[in-house]
């Protein structure tokens, strides 16, 4: 009921801290304003396994009629991160009750700011979230998957997200005397147009790439030639190699056009999430755990998408995977896409997510091997 947007998850952090401390977990010190890193040490030695849940909400006004609808007007858990947090706390609860059996350590990463690049994953990693971690498990709700089921995808599941700002600076002047000016608006328009040629001519058409300019601001008046133009965009690809090339190609294209028109270019990289590449062996752990709980209930193969997710930053460092937890149920209105003001979930997904994650972590820490 009290969602908080990226980097302001203060009450959420305090709430999580209280619950994990109550379960006897050790909260590790981090130099971050929000987020919790907590550790559950089993009574026997063994590997360290991490689980990540993101905790932030979105600046959206909630339009559901749920009894637990957001009380922070203009802020909503429209991406289901409240479900991820609740699932994480559920797993804490389950595993804390059996710590004498655990052969190893569970590190819980309650991560802030997933929705707001550069994101909370890298600061968490810098604060030791992955220290000695053998495997990391993640989850995300999925309204396109029916409740009771899960989705998995080996390899690249989500895209690299390269958020960039281009600032074109020209020379302002009277609308009637363009020859005495450098028009930042016209130059900006040329850049926007040409960026699409990167997609069609510079990268292998077998690899999907999207370059989207979401904002273009230039000019101040009808009869004044624009001094500056701000071009705000994002580029997406599933390929780590293309992800490395895209900022170079964008810069080359924009700066060449600026040079041709006598304008100056400044390019700022706001974020560069890598593609999210799931480890096939870790996905098999998810599948095995799910099967143990729910028999031969179908596991959906999650389609690839050019969406971004900073869980990818953990997967760059250690093997891991993100499971999609089905929350869809049209009968109760749980069929809206992520970030929709009426987004909601079938809460039975909380049990499925908690049970599956607790099972795969138990398996990784030797609890289930002889049963
Ligand atoms: Ni999300």
């Amino acid at each position: 009921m009290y969602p908080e947007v990226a980097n302001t998850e203060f009450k959420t952090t305090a709430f999580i801290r209280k619950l994990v401390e109550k379960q006897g977990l050790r909260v590790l010190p981090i130099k971050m304003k929000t987020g919790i890193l907590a550790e559950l040490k089993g009574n026997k030695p063994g590997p360290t396994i991490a689980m990540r849940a993101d905790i932030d909400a979105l600046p959206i006004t909630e339009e559901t009629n749920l009894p637990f609808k957001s009380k922070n007007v203009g802020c909503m858990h429209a991406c289901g991160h409240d479900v991820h947090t609740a699932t994480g706390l559920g797993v804490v609860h389950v595993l804390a009750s059996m710590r004498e059996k655990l052969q190893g350590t569970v590190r819980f990463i309650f991560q802030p700011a997933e929705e707001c690049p550069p994101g909370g994953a890298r600061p968490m990693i810098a604060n030791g979230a992955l220290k000695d971690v053998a495997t990391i498990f993640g989850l995300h709700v999925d309204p396109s998957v029916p409740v009771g089921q899960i989705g998995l995808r080996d390899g690249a599941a989500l895209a690299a997200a390269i958020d960039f700002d281009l600032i074109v600076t020209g020379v302002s002047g009277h609308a009637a005397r363009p020859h005495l000016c450098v028009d930042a608006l016209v130059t900006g328009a040329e850049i926007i147009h040409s960026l699409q040629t990167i997609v069609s001519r510079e990268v292998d058409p077998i690899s999907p790439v999207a370059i989207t300019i979401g904002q273009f601001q230039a000019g101040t008046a009808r009869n004044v030639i624009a001094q500056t133009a701000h071009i705000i965009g994002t580029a997406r690809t599933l390929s780590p190699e293309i992800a490395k090339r895209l900022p170079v190609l964008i810069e080359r294209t924009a700066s060449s056009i600026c040079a041709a028109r006598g304008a100056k270019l400044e390019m700022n990289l706001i974020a560069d999430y890598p593609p999210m590449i799931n480890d096939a062996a870790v996905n098999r752990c998810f599948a095995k755990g799910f099967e143990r709980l729910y028999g031969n209930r179908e596991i959906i193969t999650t389609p690839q998408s050019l969406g971004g997710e900073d869980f990818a930053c953990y997967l760059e460092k250690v093997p891991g995977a993100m499971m999609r937890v089905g929350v869809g149920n049209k009968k109760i209105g749980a069929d809206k896409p992520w970030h929709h003001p009426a987004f909601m979930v079938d809460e039975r997904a909380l049990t499925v997510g908690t049970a599956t994650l607790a099972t795969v972590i138990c398996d990784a820490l030797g609890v289930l091997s002889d049963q």
Side-chain angles (χ1 to χ4, degrees):
M1 266 192 272
Y2 303 96
E4 296 168 302
V5 296
N7 298 310
T8 68
E9 309 93 335
F10 298 108
K11 286 182 180 160
T12 309
T13 297
F15 181 80
I16 296 165
R17 174 184 281 272
K18 206 174 91 189
L19 288 183
V20 299
E21 281 179 342
K22 200 173 147 201
Q23 294 293 335
L25 273 69
R26 190 162 75 94
V27 174
L28 306 178
I30 51 171
K31 286 190 183 118
M32 291 168 68
K33 286 187 295 180
T34 54
I36 290 277
L37 205 53
E39 219 168 69
L40 174 66
K41 259 198 169 19
N43 283 0
K44 296 168 190 165
T48 299
I49 303 296
M51 179 197 156
R52 179 268 211 170
D54 43 7
I55 65 171
D56 57 321
L58 287 155
I60 294 173
T61 300
E62 183 160 347
E63 288 173 15
T64 72
N65 292 315
L66 295 167
F68 48 86
K69 178 180 174 173
S70 168
K71 289 198 170 167
N72 289 345
V73 177
C75 186
M76 175 189 180
H77 272 297
C79 199
H81 297 187
D82 51 347
V83 176
H84 307 164
T85 306
T87 303
L89 291 170
V91 176
V92 166
H93 194 87
V94 172
L95 296 183
S97 70
M98 50 195 293
R99 70 190 308 163
E100 73 286 350
K101 287 187 188 168
L102 298 177
Q103 298 168 26
T105 300
V106 193
R107 173 110 27 88
F108 291 92
I109 305 168
F110 289 97
Q111 183 214 297
E114 190 281 322
E115 298 287 1
C116 190
R122 286 204 177 103
M124 272 290 181
I125 294 168
N127 276 276
L130 292 180
K131 190 168 177 286
D132 303 324
V133 165
T135 308
I136 185 164
F137 295 102
L139 79 155
H140 206 293
V141 298
D142 191 335
S144 72
V145 174
V147 67
Q149 289 181 254
I150 62 166
L152 297 172
R153 172 111 208 166
D154 292 348
L158 292 169
I162 302 146
D163 290 356
F164 59 92
D165 290 357
L166 301 171
I167 301 150
V168 179
T169 305
V171 178
S172 188
H174 197 288
R177 298 176 184 84
H179 58 295
L180 303 177
C181 306
V182 175
D183 191 335
L185 190 152
V186 170
T187 310
E190 255 184 288
I191 291 170
I192 291 168
H193 193 76
S194 286
L195 291 179
Q196 294 309 319
T197 311
I198 294 175
V199 180
S200 67
R201 300 290 90 174
E202 300 267 7
V203 296
D204 187 339
I206 299 297
S207 292
V209 171
I211 298 179
T212 294
I213 303 303
Q215 276 179 277
F216 181 43
Q217 289 156 349
T220 52
R222 186 195 304 278
N223 57 356
V224 177
I225 283 175
Q227 166 94 16
T228 56
H230 290 250
I231 300 164
I232 292 168
T234 185
R236 306 298 175 97
T237 170
L238 292 164
S239 148
E241 292 73 37
I242 295 175
K244 277 193 204 103
R245 283 178 61 217
L246 280 175
V248 179
L249 291 170
I250 290 165
E251 207 199 347
R252 195 186 74 195
T253 303
S255 63
S256 306
I257 292 169
C258 282
R261 304 287 162 245
K264 283 201 193 80
L265 178 79
E266 186 189 322
M267 175 164 167
N268 297 320
L269 273 179
I270 307 301
D272 58 334
Y273 291 178
M276 194 183 83
I277 299 171
N278 288 321
D279 187 286
V282 178
N283 268 344
R284 278 201 296 281
C285 298
F286 270 129
K288 200 174 133 203
F290 186 75
E291 212 170 285
R292 182 186 279 268
L293 290 160
Y294 301 105
N296 55 3
R297 201 185 278 182
E298 192 196 352
I299 295 173
I300 288 174
T301 302
T302 306
Q304 289 178 309
S305 121
L306 293 185
E309 158 68 70
D310 71 354
F311 187 65
C313 299
Y314 303 101
L315 299 188
E316 261 192 336
K317 311 261 182 208
V318 298
M322 174 176 271
M323 155 178 73
R324 294 289 188 95
V325 180
V327 293
N329 181 358
K330 204 171 173 171
K331 276 189 214 136
I332 62 162
D335 60 342
K336 310 294 182 297
W338 299 285
H339 298 205
H340 188 285
F343 178 84
M344 58 182 280
V345 307
D346 188 322
E347 290 173 77
R348 287 177 293 174
L350 287 162
T351 318
V352 179
T354 304
T356 306
L357 277 154
T359 302
V360 297
I361 295 170
C362 279
D363 205 5
L365 296 184
V367 179
L368 299 172
S369 52
D370 52 0
Q371 286 174 30

